[in-house]
Amino acid sequence: MPLLDAGGRFVADRFHRFNSGEATDHPCVLVSLADLPAVLAVRGDQEIGVEIANTVEIAALAPHFDALALIGIAFPAYADGRGFSLAKRLRRDGFTGTLRAIGPLIADQFAYALACGFDEVELPEANAARQPAEHWVKAAAAFSATYQRGYAREASILDQRRAARLEGRNG
Amino acid sequence: MYRYDEFDERFVRERVAQFRDQVNRRLSGAITEDEFKPLRLKNGVYLQLHAYMLRIAIPYGTLSARQLRQLALIGEKFDRGYGHFTTRQNLQFNWPRLRDVPEILDLLADVEMHCIQTSGNCIRNVTADQFSGVAADEIEDPRPVAELIRQWSSAHPEFSYLPRKFKIAVTGAAHDRAAVKVHDIGLRIVRNTAGETGYEIIVGGGLGRTPMIGKVVRDFLPKGDLLAYLEALMRVYNAEGRRDNKYKARVKILVHEIGIEEFQARVEAEFAALDRTTINADREEVARIAAYFAAPPYEKRPAVSQTYQAARAANPAFAAWADVNVTPHKAPGYAALTISLKGIGAVPGDMTSEQMRAAAGLAERYSFGELRVTHAQNLVLPHVAQDDLFAVWKALGNARLAEANVGLITDIIACPGLDYCALATARSIPIAQALSQRFADPARQREIGPLGIKISGCINACGHHHVGNIGILGLEKRGEESYQITLGGDATENAALGDILGPGLTAAEVPDAIERLVEVYLGQRNTGEAFIDTVRRLGIAPFKAAFLQEIDHAAA
């Protein structure tokens, strides 16, 4: 399915979705959580990604963080915001690989997804067809700064105010 | 009052541009109607029964005269010459055209206002005690923290697609005028044994079809940790709140299902895992916001105004008004004055553009240019010199704004109901009007004393009927409007949910039934005892008996 990178470009998906029983010799395989232990046990030097529901306990995944190149979090509906919190927790708990949002997101959620730690968005064909890349780029830039601290984006308004105060004091 | 800096200004302007872009993408088909709906709701645009409705945020109910004048202009230019103040201290316009909305948003941005998050499954407009910074019983002004939360919750990257709407109310006073126990989060400013101020956090209150009183989840949170704690709590709710059933999706249901201890444990675990220093606002930012809420330059005045006392003595109508509409003020010689938007037979909370201008003029002349909106759908002039009260009262009279009924039986809270609302199952406004007319006699209202009637036109309870001393819920039974009466509700620090008295009534039967309840109270009260206290002392039995008797009588 169409894949949008953090810059809002549609790019080729290097991951191959693995079906149980298949050979795992593709260089980048994306597997289900159920298949993960078996795939990890026989893996060669491929990159492994796992696709998870937005209700998965992080404890189930944390032991595999180092072995995982990608975690894909399913958004069953664009209005289901659990994936944002799960992404934030995965980042906090030390996952440094690629985080992918998978589902019918809308362009207006792109900035939120990036701020919560996602690197890319995998969309259903129809949704990508309606929302060309320029919509995602524009929507992501809707706010030049926002208020929340501690999210993965440029300096928040609070931090910019703080910087201005320090500058005023030193200048 | 808070004033936008360059960042706030740009943020609000960018939100307007974003909404224009969203509308364009809807029109081009890039996003579907289903996708657009939450986007417009998060900008306060509802589709109602007859028209679009635009809900404007009045953060923590604080409003400048300049802003009220702008609302008057918008009401005239884009609506039918009036606006409607809501139970969440917001203002609604009931008749704007969708194509005018971006222009209205521009006009709002010109006076540092917006419609951000006045609807949708996100953190809504933060509400507060209408007497913040004024009340004599206040530990600390809650407006700075309300403003901090307003900013923090705006376009939050993680909490903009919650299971359901999320309402936060704050108070800094001992007496709760902000109904904090019936909000998703209620925040009380408290002092600990060491004398430091911090927050008591109450969670899981709410009305709607499953009314619940909130429970304390943190009895003392140091002030500096507020944003990190809110992030932890919201994350637990966002991840674990139910999404399978919209009627079970509020945080109150999660708290109820897993229990407050378990909820608390999960929040504390999340809070402990956070790097709080990367989340919290620094002390200087908090101080920067607080500085905007410094007291206005009061003049030095004697605690008791001779002018005011003389005017009271000479004019009983003025004295009667002042008895209920005037509230003591922190500053000597000043008073806070509530302007009733509950004229006899009028629509609760409605205000014409002309009246808005009159109130704005009075605020400029007598109240340092400041007004407040109450959750009971009235306005407040927060800083009036007692010397000026008589002049203000006369001017209010000229604008038909001098109803002497604040807190009395005709100061009725009512949702818009089936006259406007797409969700309503029955009308609310005509019930409020009929009761207002039934109890119009000012002497009788004063004799009855404080008594809050709250009316909702459906089970979603926007009129807060569960916490009305007398609550009225309009339902639809076999194609007829049917009104269920509850008794004993209370939205204050003694928060309680009312008990249902008996079978539903027709609209026409409601005034007589309420009359019976009032009679029981008048017959049984102790000296100086308010309605709600008599109900507490006696329980609902004698009221229920009279109510059922009235129904039999009506049926006979």
Side-chain angles (χ1 to χ4, degrees):
Chain A
M1 289 190 290
L3 183 68
L4 197 70
D5 74 3
R9 290 169 295 256
F10 282 104
V11 294
D13 187 353
R14 71 184 201 278
F15 276 85
H16 169 75
R17 270 199 170 68
F18 169 78
N19 298 308
S20 290
E22 237 176 32
T24 55
D25 52 359
H26 196 279
C28 302
V29 286
L30 183 57
V31 307
S32 70
L33 188 56
D35 288 334
L36 183 65
V39 171
L40 284 177
V42 301
R43 70 184 287 202
D45 55 2
Q46 312 108 308
E47 291 191 87
I48 309 291
V50 65
E51 181 172 353
I52 58 173
N54 61 10
T55 50
V56 163
E57 293 287 336
I58 292 182
L61 273 178
H64 307 303
F65 275 2
D66 290 341
L68 289 170
L70 177 144
I71 297 177
I73 300 175
F75 280 68
Y78 78 94
D80 185 339
R82 282 178 283 197
F84 296 119
S85 283
L86 184 53
K88 183 78 174 130
R89 278 174 158 159
L90 284 168
R91 287 298 186 212
R92 185 191 65 208
D93 291 354
F95 180 68
T96 55
T98 301
L99 263 184
R100 177 185 293 189
I102 304 172
L105 277 73
I106 56 175
D108 301 89
Q109 294 176 307
F110 194 28
Y112 294 164
L114 297 175
C116 289
F118 285 106
D119 302 292
E120 54 192 35
V121 181
E122 185 183 335
L123 292 164
E125 294 283 355
N127 300 57
R130 281 191 280 115
Q131 302 177 90
E134 59 263 29
H135 287 196
W136 297 80
V137 173
K138 187 176 180 190
F143 292 105
S144 36
T146 49
Y147 293 98
Q148 303 77 23
R149 300 182 66 226
Y151 287 82
R153 55 185 173 194
E154 297 292 300
S156 72
I157 290 173
L158 267 63
D159 290 318
Q160 291 188 50
R161 283 176 180 150
R162 184 185 170 85
R165 273 194 293 272
L166 290 172
E167 199 176 313
R169 210 171 293 157
N170 299 331
Chain B
M1 273 186 66
Y2 186 72
R3 295 302 308 264
Y4 285 3
D5 68 0
E6 59 190 299
F7 297 106
D8 302 312
E9 164 78 17
R10 193 168 60 194
F11 181 85
V12 167
R13 296 285 179 193
E14 287 173 344
R15 179 68 184 100
V16 178
Q18 184 189 43
F19 185 69
R20 276 205 171 89
D21 182 52
Q22 289 167 341
V23 171
N24 288 339
R25 277 183 285 131
R26 171 67 203 111
L27 293 175
S28 76
I31 48 176
T32 65
E33 190 56 36
D34 277 353
E35 288 166 343
F36 178 61
K37 187 177 169 188
L39 302 180
R40 71 165 160 77
L41 287 174
K42 279 171 200 167
N43 212 21
V45 183
Y46 278 76
L47 184 56
Q48 290 291 49
L49 274 182
H50 314 290
Y52 280 98
M53 179 269 274
L54 183 64
R55 185 181 290 156
I56 295 160
I58 301 175
Y60 36 93
T62 297
L63 191 64
S64 71
R66 178 166 165 256
Q67 291 172 328
L68 187 56
R69 285 185 191 283
Q70 191 80 330
L71 295 174
L73 176 81
I74 293 168
E76 250 164 24
K77 203 169 163 191
F78 299 102
D79 202 287
R80 298 184 178 176
Y82 68 98
H84 175 78
F85 289 98
T86 77
T87 52
R88 294 208 76 253
Q89 300 177 315
N90 292 317
L91 181 104
Q92 292 178 185
F93 285 118
N94 285 311
W95 307 99
R97 290 177 301 187
L98 187 58
R99 69 164 184 260
D100 291 332
V101 168
E103 195 180 341
I104 297 173
L105 295 175
D106 281 332
L107 287 170
L108 290 171
D110 289 346
V111 293
E112 302 179 13
M113 295 187 84
H114 58 71
C115 297
I116 296 171
Q117 290 166 216
T118 53
S119 179
N121 293 336
C122 52
I123 302 170
R124 301 287 190 89
N125 183 38
V126 182
T127 55
D129 184 349
Q130 70 268 21
F131 295 130
S132 296
V134 169
D137 64 340
E138 189 170 85
I139 294 173
E140 206 172 275
D141 188 342
R143 288 173 300 164
V145 68
E147 174 60 24
L148 181 66
I149 296 171
R150 181 192 76 82
Q151 296 187 19
W152 167 80
S153 61
S154 295
H156 198 291
E158 189 179 343
F159 307 131
S160 289
Y161 291 88
L162 297 171
R164 199 75 178 87
K165 59 187 168 184
F166 202 94
K167 300 175 179 179
I168 302 178
V170 298
T171 179
H175 179 57
D176 177 11
R177 286 169 288 261
V180 299
K181 289 186 177 173
V182 289
H183 279 74
D184 294 284
I185 288 181
L187 207 142
R188 288 180 58 225
I189 298 176
V190 292
R191 209 183 290 282
N192 68 6
T193 46
E196 301 151 329
T197 54
Y199 306 116
E200 179 188 85
I201 314 282
I202 297 163
V203 71
L207 300 173
R209 64 186 65 200
T210 316
M212 288 188 189
I213 305 292
K215 299 177 181 72
V216 175
V217 64
R218 188 50 121 89
D219 52 16
F220 189 85
L221 179 74
K223 288 169 87 172
D225 276 333
L226 180 69
L227 297 186
Y229 187 86
L230 289 179
E231 183 175 310
L233 194 156
M234 295 307 299
R235 185 165 296 139
V236 169
Y237 170 57
N238 191 40
E240 298 172 40
R242 285 181 61 173
R243 291 178 188 257
D244 58 327
N245 178 342
K246 74 179 270 197
Y247 301 115
K248 295 184 189 294
R250 297 284 289 271
V251 70
K252 63 189 173 188
I253 302 293
L254 176 64
V255 171
H256 180 71
E257 287 182 349
I258 68 176
I260 185 68
E261 290 80 14
E262 176 60 22
F263 183 82
Q264 184 177 40
R266 292 184 196 182
V267 173
E268 291 294 338
E270 183 64 36
F271 183 59
L274 296 177
D275 181 358
R276 302 184 320 229
T277 56
T278 62
I279 301 164
N280 287 321
D282 63 281
R283 202 170 293 187
E284 287 175 319
E285 171 65 7
V286 173
R288 182 192 73 85
I289 293 174
Y292 287 103
F293 298 98
Y298 300 122
E299 287 166 34
K300 206 168 154 52
R301 293 175 178 276
V304 178
S305 155
Q306 296 306 321
T307 315
Y308 172 47
Q309 295 306 329
R312 285 181 60 100
N315 194 322
F318 169 62
W321 172 83
D323 281 343
V324 291
N325 291 43
V326 170
T327 304
H329 197 287
K330 265 179 183 172
Y334 282 84
L337 177 172
T338 303
I339 300 173
S340 169
L341 300 181
K342 312 291 176 65
I344 296 303
V347 177
D350 272 11
M351 194 176 202
T352 66
S353 292
E354 196 185 345
Q355 288 175 320
M356 290 182 201
R357 289 202 183 91
L362 290 171
E364 279 156 353
R365 184 153 174 209
Y366 297 108
S367 184
F368 299 96
E370 197 186 320
L371 300 111
R372 307 284 176 81
V373 183
T374 81
H375 88 271
Q377 304 177 285
N378 292 316
L379 282 190
V380 169
L381 293 176
H383 319 285
V384 180
Q386 292 176 19
D387 283 357
D388 295 330
L389 284 170
F390 186 67
V392 175
W393 174 69
K394 282 201 295 191
L396 287 172
N398 293 336
R400 292 169 292 109
L401 288 170
E403 202 65 49
N405 65 350
V406 172
L408 302 183
I409 192 167
T410 60
D411 185 2
I412 297 167
I413 292 181
C415 73
L418 201 52
D419 291 293
Y420 294 97
C421 180
L423 302 173
T425 42
R427 293 167 304 154
S428 323
I429 292 169
I431 303 297
Q433 290 170 317
L435 285 170
S436 173
Q437 262 140 3
R438 170 64 68 97
F439 292 97
D441 177 13
R444 181 142 185 261
Q445 288 191 56
R446 286 198 298 278
E447 165 67 15
I448 297 166
L451 198 174
I453 296 181
K454 298 179 196 259
I455 308 173
S456 304
C458 81
I459 201 155
N460 294 307
C462 295
H464 299 180
H465 64 276
H466 299 294
V467 290
N469 299 162
I470 294 174
I472 302 176
L473 166 62
L475 297 167
E476 189 244 281
K477 291 245 168 78
R478 294 176 291 278
E480 300 281 323
E481 288 169 317
S482 171
Y483 294 89
Q484 195 177 74
I485 313 294
T486 53
L487 185 76
D490 187 343
T492 71
E493 63 277 15
N494 307 311
L497 304 172
D499 292 312
I500 296 171
L501 283 177
L505 308 176
T506 65
E509 289 166 349
V510 171
D512 283 340
I514 305 304
E515 190 93 56
R516 292 292 88 76
L517 302 177
V518 171
E519 278 168 13
V520 173
Y521 160 64
L522 292 175
Q524 307 237 16
R525 71 175 167 188
N526 292 332
T527 311
E529 191 178 50
F531 180 86
I532 184 67
D533 297 318
T534 304
V535 173
R536 283 221 179 87
R537 178 170 56 82
L538 297 175
I540 70 162
F543 295 92
K544 190 168 187 164
F547 178 84
L548 294 175
Q549 206 176 13
E550 171 62 29
I551 289 184
D552 284 346
H553 171 75

